[in-house]
Amino acid sequence: MQTLAHFGDGGPGPWILFLPVIWALVIGGGIALLRRTVWRGRRGPARPTVGENSPLAVLGHRFASGEIDEDEYWRRLSVLDEQFGRNGKGGAA
């Protein structure tokens, strides 16, 4: 059986697969690079991470467990945003 473009008759043999594999790696690498750099910024702003013992996390846990109502939650959240700020102002980073 003669395969890969007549390998035994002086054809390219398995080397015929080399160029398509190289192109597949180049295209795959380009897509991976774009996903890690350019396309990442289009998803919108990342949600800020809050530490487990931060005041914002404690407030969220208290609201979720029912200790405080929604009005109290929003009132306290506005005060905490002024002090600790999700935008980097204030005492906590």
Side-chain angles (χ1 to χ4, degrees), residues 17-63:
L17 300 175
F18 183 70
L19 204 55
V21 168
I22 293 298
W23 276 112
L25 290 173
V26 167
I27 291 170
I31 290 173
L33 182 66
L34 287 173
R35 288 186 71 194
R36 295 183 66 85
T37 57
V38 176
W39 293 339
R40 181 172 294 225
R42 294 186 182 171
R43 292 186 191 151
R47 294 182 66 189
T49 57
V50 177
E52 187 66 30
N53 294 326
S54 73
L56 293 174
V58 171
L59 180 64
H61 289 299
R62 289 186 64 197
F63 177 64

Side-chain angles (χ1 to χ4, degrees), residues 1 5 7 11 16 24 28 30 32 47 60 65 67-68 71 80 83 87-88:
M1 173 183 262
F7 181 59
I16 199 168
R47 294 182 66 189
S65 67
E67 292 180 38
I68 58 175
D71 292 331
L80 288 175
Q83 282 185 340
N87 55 6

